[in-house]
Amino acid sequence: MNIIRLQSLSEPDVQVYSSLTEAQLRNRLDPDKGIFIAESPKVIKVALQAGYEPISLLCEEKHINGDAKEIIDACPDTPVFTGSREMLAQLTGYTLTRGVLCAMRRKSTADFRDLCRDARRIAVIDGVTDTTNIGAIFRSAAALGIDCVLLTPTSCDPLNRRAVRVSMGTIFLVPWTWIDAPISALKEMGFKTVALALTDKSVSIDDAALAAEPRLALILGTEGDGLALNVIENADYTAKIPMAYGVDSLNVAAASAVAFWELRIRNK
């Protein structure tokens, strides 16, 4: 074990856990040097199994031979910074979940065309900026058989710490990338696009025509403003989830789970 006991909150090697913003961690100018923070032993373990490289760990002393032991043993050469619960809470600004954080190196993202080449059901997240919703959408995508997730540049970073935590690590399981072209470009790859939106032309999510499509891209937008009009107009289908009690819509994360289940490939 490479255990380093912190003597000061200002030590430069732990700035990644305290003073760097999510944007600085992501490093938009040079994504290959980007970092993200994984939180809790379960989530860190999933990330390690998915091939993400650990840079350092931040762990409460009592968890070194407890909840974090398996993680530390799996990363014998990785520095483990430690201190009291109070010191680490002062450093990070919050009490650690299960007492351990891990700074990890980002991977290069794939071209969306490569990711979608053999996919049959994909999700497109368009303009969703709430980190909790992003994490929940990924968790549903993993559980319900979505082949990959694409995000428009106006969407939240999936490797945001809270998004990773809410996803329970499933962000490391579902292939994902940014789509740097109009969503309509998916049609050139043989996908039919379905915008989840309330319009006069929306069909029910259980419409047989949707389920019969061999390749389907489900477009999800923020529950506040919804999808942009041009996205809806350019989609092959517009679909809605039938509601009761006069409810007009669901949170985008809940709606994604319903849509993923209803439009899953049935003969896998």
Side-chain angles (χ1 to χ4, degrees):
M1 292 185 188
N2 185 10
I3 306 297
I4 303 170
R5 286 178 171 77
L6 295 174
Q7 303 301 316
S8 168
L9 297 178
S10 60
E11 294 186 29
D13 289 336
V14 294
Q15 287 182 351
V16 65
Y17 299 105
S18 58
S19 60
L20 297 185
T21 66
E22 288 287 346
Q24 289 171 324
L25 289 172
R26 182 175 171 184
N27 199 342
R28 288 178 180 270
L29 295 178
D30 193 350
D32 289 341
K33 294 182 180 178
I35 295 170
F36 68 94
I37 305 297
E39 185 175 349
S40 87
K42 179 177 181 179
V43 171
I44 295 168
K45 184 176 180 180
V46 175
L48 291 172
Q49 291 174 339
Y52 284 88
E53 176 189 350
I55 297 172
S56 67
L57 290 151
L58 183 69
C59 180
E60 289 182 26
E61 290 178 321
K62 68 178 182 179
H63 290 296
I64 291 175
N65 291 304
D67 289 342
K69 187 177 188 309
E70 184 178 358
I71 299 299
I72 294 172
D73 289 345
C75 311
D77 299 322
T78 302
V80 180
F81 297 102
T82 190
S84 68
R85 184 182 183 89
E86 293 72 24
M87 173 183 278
L88 299 190
Q90 187 178 352
L91 174 70
T92 61
Y94 58 93
T95 301
L96 304 190
T97 300
R98 299 282 303 275
V100 59
L101 300 176
C102 184
M104 311 192 88
R105 200 170 304 283
R106 289 173 179 263
K107 295 181 180 181
S108 298
T109 52
D111 184 278
F112 77 92
R113 297 169 186 85
D114 294 332
L115 216 59
C116 295
R117 185 167 289 117
D118 299 320
R120 300 175 67 186
R121 291 291 185 267
I122 68 175
V124 181
I125 300 176
D126 183 24
V128 177
T129 58
D130 184 279
T131 54
T132 298
N133 284 337
I134 291 288
I137 291 170
F138 267 87
R139 191 170 184 181
S140 294
L144 301 173
I146 293 297
D147 296 313
C148 69
V149 176
L150 308 182
L151 301 102
T152 63
T154 54
S155 296
C156 173
D157 176 22
L159 294 182
N160 173 283
R161 191 186 75 239
R162 181 170 178 79
V164 170
R165 184 171 74 246
V166 171
S167 82
M168 294 300 293
T170 54
I171 280 172
F172 308 124
L173 302 178
V174 182
W176 66 270
T177 194
W178 303 97
I179 181 167
D180 55 359
I183 296 173
S184 57
L186 295 169
K187 297 182 183 183
E188 300 171 9
M189 302 183 68
F191 286 95
K192 293 292 187 180
T193 56
V194 52
L196 296 185
L198 295 172
T199 73
D200 294 338
K201 297 181 180 180
S202 296
V203 300
S204 175
I205 197 71
D206 59 359
D207 189 291
L210 294 176
E213 291 290 354
R215 308 189 82 191
L216 203 58
L218 287 72
I219 310 172
L220 307 162
T222 178
E223 63 271 15
D225 298 328
L227 292 169
L229 183 60
N230 69 305
V231 173
I232 295 173
E233 291 178 342
N234 289 327
D236 295 297
Y237 299 96
T238 306
K240 62 183 179 181
I241 299 170
M243 304 282 176
Y245 292 103
V247 177
D248 61 354
S249 65
L250 293 174
N251 167 278
V252 64
S256 73
V258 175
F260 295 162
W261 170 257
E262 185 61 43
L263 297 176
R264 71 195 187 281
I265 296 294
R266 310 288 173 122
N267 58 352
K268 278 189 174 181

